[in-house]
Amino acid sequence: MKKLLLMTAVLLCVGAGCVVPAPSAPSTPPGAAGTESVVPSSKRLDLSGQGLTSLPASALARTDIEELDISGNRIGGALPSEIGRLKALRVLDASGNVMTGVPAEIGHLPELRVLDLSNNRLTGLPHELAELKNLATLDLRGNDVSTYDLEIIRKGLPNATIMTDVK
């Protein structure tokens, strides 16, 4: 029931730009059996397919999230530079939008493992993508990305799988 209420609050707040606090872990009396730490399932924020034209401020305030799915919206321009505050982010799926740019601050996400920017309108890419040393997968298919930018990023990420339409 708590999860349903939280999800409802998140959906209501998305358009209003409010911040929804992460649910707290259930408390267990000291010394009780099963006192291991409970990790809340709120480490994933799914805003996919909601017709968003920009990333809500409430999403950027959630510095604890590990997975952010904003795919299948109508987000244009570039992601806000505040994306660089999401230091715990491991997966960012921004596929299927109409974005034309990616901010340099994307390179400030040390835990990022998967970055899906496929099917947008990207041409240039920030060279700071090459600083994402933990990145395992970068999907750029469906964009007309610069081969020069790709070359620099590939050199910085020799172990990452980088998917593009460019051969």
Side-chain angles (χ1 to χ4, degrees):
M1 182 67 174
K2 251 185 180 179
K3 188 174 183 180
L4 179 60
L5 289 174
L6 176 65
M7 290 180 71
T8 303
V10 168
L11 290 175
L12 291 174
C13 282
V14 165
C18 59
V19 177
V20 178
S24 58
S27 60
T28 306
T35 57
E36 65 271 5
S37 172
V38 178
V39 178
S41 62
S42 65
K43 298 288 184 184
R44 184 177 199 290
L45 183 55
D46 186 350
L47 299 174
S48 62
Q50 295 186 19
L52 301 175
T53 56
S54 63
L55 190 56
S58 58
L60 295 167
R62 292 286 314 278
T63 57
D64 63 326
I65 61 172
E66 294 177 2
E67 294 184 34
L68 177 58
D69 186 349
I70 56 172
S71 65
N73 283 293
R74 295 186 312 255
I75 299 173
L79 287 172
S81 60
E82 291 84 4
I83 195 80
R85 294 183 192 159
L86 306 181
K87 301 292 186 198
L89 201 61
R90 292 174 179 261
V91 177
L92 174 56
D93 185 350
S95 63
N97 281 285
V98 290
M99 293 187 309
T100 55
V102 179
E105 288 79 3
I106 199 94
H108 299 163
L109 302 175
E111 300 301 320
L112 199 61
R113 307 275 193 284
V114 176
L115 178 56
D116 189 346
L117 298 170
S118 63
N119 300 309
N120 275 282
R121 296 181 182 166
L122 302 174
T123 52
L125 296 169
H127 298 168
E128 287 79 1
L129 284 171
E131 297 171 16
L132 298 171
K133 298 305 178 189
N134 287 316
L135 196 66
T137 304
L138 174 58
D139 192 344
L140 297 167
R141 293 175 292 180
N143 291 288
D144 189 20
V145 294
S146 156
T147 53
Y148 174 73
D149 293 342
L150 271 175
E151 193 175 303
I152 291 170
I153 293 164
R154 280 191 172 122
K155 283 180 185 173
L157 302 173
N159 298 320
T161 299
I162 301 175
M163 298 173 277
T164 68
D165 298 328
V166 179
K167 299 297 177 198

